[in-house]
Each structure stands twice: as C-alpha cells, then as structure tokens.
Amino acid sequence: MRYQGLSIDDTFCEVVDTYVARLTLTASTEALALAAAGFLAAVALAPGSALRGGLESPAPAASTPDGRPGMTLLFSGPTASGLDAFKVALLDRLDLAPLLLTCSLFDAGRAAPIEWVVDLAARLARWGDGHEIKETSGERELIRLPLSVSDQRLERRTRVVAGVDGALVAFGRSEAACLAGASEAAADVLRLAPGAAVLHAPGGATNVVKCGGATYKGEASTTHEAYCASLSGHVATSLPPEAVAAIEMTLLAISMDALREALRVSIDAFARTADIVGVSTPFAPVARGGRRIALRELLPAPRAERAKKGGTP
C-alpha cells in the first residue's frame, strides 16, 4: 500500500492486553515536570517487562489538582504477567517519586472505568517515617510527605484500567532519517493522541528486538536479525531494498480507540519525514492479546472508495 509516498505493509499490528495506571505528576516548573516524568517513565524497556512507562501529554496548570504545571504518564504491564506483578512493579517505580524535587503525584484515571485500585499510600507513605500527614482535596485523599525542598503530595490510591500496547517499525534510507522520524512521531503522539503514549526511550524509539532468543535461550529479548542491515547476505532480512536502518516505536494506550489514533498519528509523522521509506509492524505469528489492528484501517480511504460511499471524489 502507498500513503503520501510511503510504503505501508498490508499487515496487522499485534495488540497486547495490558494493565494501565494513569497518573499526573506536577512540579514547580514545566521543565522540571517534564524531566521528572521522564525519570519515572524511562525504566524497564525490555519486551514483556512487568512495567513500562511513557509520557501521554502535558497537563496545564489550570487542569491539575494543585494548580501547577505537570505531565500525565501511563504505566503499562502485560496481563500475562499478572496483576500482582504489575502492582509490585508500579509501587517499586513510584517509590522513586519522593526523590524528585518539588514534585507531587495524582491519579489521572478518574475518567476511565474502574477496574482495579492500587493502594499507593501503603508503600509510599512510609517515606514520611512517621511524619506523613493525611489530607483531603475535594474528593481526593492525599498523603503529604515532609521533604527537604518542599512537601510532596501523593494521592493515596490510583486506578488501574484494562489497556493495550502495540508497535510500528519504520524503515529509513539513513540512521538520521530514522532518528528524525522517531522524534517527529513521538512529538505528535504527545500532542495529538490523548490516552496514548510512546514508550519512553531516548530519541522516541528503540532498536527492533524480538522476545527471547534463538541461539541463547532464556533471554528476555535479543536483536531482531531480520531488521539488521549488517546481516544482509547472512540471514533473510525484512528491510526494503532502499533501507539501511529500522526503528521500533512501541505505543501504550488506555483503549483500542486510543491505540488506533496513536498508530495513525505515528504513520502520518513518518510520512512527513524525509527518507523514511516504509512502515510495518514487528513480526508476530500470534497476537498475544488475541486482537489485531490492520494498518490499512488506519489510512484514509482511496478516492475511488470514498466516491462509492457517496463522499467527495
């Protein structure tokens, strides 16, 4: 398939069922909120990790519980690992929050249907070492931790909803093209795809990897040789003839609709990037979540098809 000069493989995005916690981190400045949110999100990139994170969207001061600028984060973990593993990993990650200067943390999943609730206070309140204080702000129950720069407010509980993950692979004529495409797509998802986030990684994407290993057993992830240009002639590769590099962009989302929009926004961004020549998805013979999204569904209908449906030809 062709889309704005870009080759799109007629394939499917594998959908992985996940647990998702959505939180808003606030700080004294926008720059500090962004840096702190990235610090919390950018851990455990490996496929199948019990917890992975991404930045969903900026949270303007007018919209946050404490009236300060912030960032909304998504924390995601595969349902195959189990809810208990997700809860433990989430608490381990958020246990870093009291280290972050001027930051506070609030549940941002209040608009979504309640699936499960994680008691953050049972773990994080212990940072107060007996000096923590219980507070309320409207309907929110908070813990205030006295810290050396400023007190931190933490919502006592956060909601966890049933979410999904998916991924795209983009091919470039150069490494620079891949880096530019990743940056453009990550920025657009942040601005234009509410309820979704790019897996937080330097540059907005990662090398393409596969779960497990063929030569070395027991590894969580290994290089995906089908996307390595240096192995051309030694193994069968999935690179288009004009491509010398490939990146993988993983998307976390609170719903199938949010994931579809993030995938569409990413494809649009890749199509605008010079020397990105194609888009596909990481190969997976069976969808671990039992669902798939066809890439052709994400593209505008061809002119002839729109005319048949009564649209403008």
Side-chain angles (χ1 to χ4, degrees):
M1 301 180 292
R2 302 294 297 181
Y3 176 64
Q4 296 184 6
L6 196 65
S7 174
I8 309 290
D9 282 353
D10 193 4
T11 186
F12 298 85
C13 171
E14 177 192 17
V15 176
V16 179
D17 292 326
T18 65
Y19 303 108
V20 175
R22 187 172 183 255
L23 298 110
T24 295
L25 180 148
T26 64
S28 56
T29 68
E30 290 182 11
L32 193 53
L34 176 60
F39 174 80
L40 281 185
V43 186
L45 293 173
S49 297
L51 188 82
R52 298 194 286 177
L55 309 187
E56 179 194 324
S57 60
S63 69
T64 63
D66 61 359
R68 300 189 306 160
M71 290 293 301
T72 298
L73 302 91
L74 297 184
F75 293 102
S76 173
T79 56
S81 297
L83 181 60
D84 287 343
F86 176 74
K87 288 180 177 180
V88 169
L90 179 65
L91 290 172
D92 284 347
R93 181 75 58 85
L94 298 183
D95 201 37
L96 299 172
L99 295 171
L100 303 175
L101 300 179
T102 80
C103 292
S104 289
L105 204 59
F106 303 94
D107 174 38
R110 303 169 76 84
I114 301 174
E115 297 285 347
W116 307 275
V117 174
V118 177
D119 186 351
L120 301 182
R123 169 82 172 271
L124 273 65
R126 298 175 67 85
W127 264 90
D129 200 22
H131 302 285
E132 65 276 7
I133 299 167
K134 296 180 180 179
E135 294 183 343
T136 59
S137 177
E139 297 180 354
R140 296 179 185 269
E141 297 181 10
L142 310 175
I143 295 293
R144 177 158 62 88
L145 300 178
L147 298 172
S148 61
V149 170
S150 63
D151 290 358
Q152 182 175 79
R153 285 167 173 80
L154 300 165
E155 188 137 6
R156 290 181 57 85
R157 301 174 185 87
T158 191
R159 304 173 190 216
V160 175
V161 301
V164 286
D165 288 0
L168 293 173
V169 171
F171 304 103
R173 287 193 175 95
S174 66
E175 294 175 3
C178 285
L179 294 175
S183 178
E184 187 81 9
D188 279 8
V189 171
L190 191 69
R191 292 187 305 110
L192 303 173
V198 174
L199 176 68
H200 195 66
T206 65
N207 286 304
V208 188
V209 299
K210 65 179 183 290
C211 294
T215 302
Y216 303 114
K217 306 299 183 182
E219 298 299 318
S221 56
T222 58
T223 187
H224 206 316
E225 59 274 13
Y227 299 95
C228 297
S230 62
L231 294 179
S232 296
H234 301 282
V235 301
T237 71
S238 298
L239 293 169
E242 65 271 41
V244 301
I247 53 171
E248 181 172 342
M249 172 166 282
T250 301
L251 296 158
L252 324 175
I254 62 173
S255 68
M256 287 287 283
D257 286 344
L259 178 59
R260 285 191 183 92
E261 183 62 12
L263 290 166
R264 187 194 64 77
V265 164
S266 299
I267 291 173
D268 277 346
F270 289 134
R272 295 195 310 271
T273 305
D275 291 328
I276 293 291
V277 297
V279 170
S280 187
T281 59
F283 173 74
V286 178
R288 285 174 286 168
R291 291 176 287 174
R292 292 177 171 179
I293 297 174
L295 296 192
R296 66 167 51 251
E297 294 175 2
L298 305 171
L299 308 179
R303 292 167 63 90
E305 185 175 335
R306 291 201 303 269
K308 287 180 183 179
K309 294 180 180 179
T312 302

